[in-house]
C-alpha cells in the first residue's frame, strides 16, 4: 500500500492473503471508506479496529514522516 493512500485513509496494512488485504482502521464500520479503499487497490479489504494514535505511530515508523 502506498504511503500517501495509507495516510489519506488513516489505515495500516496488516497482511495480504490472496486478493484480501486486512487493514487496521479507526472505524471498521465505515463501509464507504472500506469500499473506496478496496476499489483503489482492486482488493477485498477486511477491516480491523485500532485506535488512531496507534495507526499514526505505526505509519510514522514504517513509512516515515
Amino acid at each position: 500500500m502506498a504511503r500517501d493512500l495509507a495516510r489519506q485513509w488513516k489505515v495500516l496494512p496488516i497482511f495480504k492473503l490472496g486478493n484480501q488485504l486486512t487493514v487496521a482502521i479507526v472505524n471498521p464500520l465505515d463501509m464507504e471508506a472500506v469500499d473506496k479503499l478496496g476499489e483503489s487497490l482492486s482488493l477485498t479489504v477486511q477491516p480491523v479496529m485500532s485506535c488512531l494514535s496507534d495507526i499514526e505511530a505505526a505509519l510514522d515508523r514504517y513509512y516515515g514522516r
Side-chain angles (χ1 to χ4, degrees):
M1 175 181 294
R3 175 181 57 179
D4 295 338
L5 193 58
R7 289 200 183 279
Q8 174 187 349
W9 290 101
K10 301 288 190 218
V11 298
L12 182 68
I14 305 297
F15 63 87
K16 182 178 178 279
L17 182 60
N19 193 36
Q20 181 171 305
L21 177 68
T22 300
V23 297
I25 188 169
V26 174
N27 180 4
L29 299 178
D30 182 353
M31 294 314 295
E32 180 180 356
V34 171
D35 290 344
K36 286 184 180 180
L37 182 60
E39 289 173 14
S40 296
L41 298 171
S42 298
L43 295 170
T44 300
V45 174
Q46 178 66 42
V48 295
M49 190 167 71
S50 180
C51 69
L52 180 59
S53 61
D54 288 346
I55 291 172
E56 289 178 336
L59 289 173
D60 288 345
R61 184 177 17 205
Y62 294 115
Y63 291 116
R65 289 189 177 252

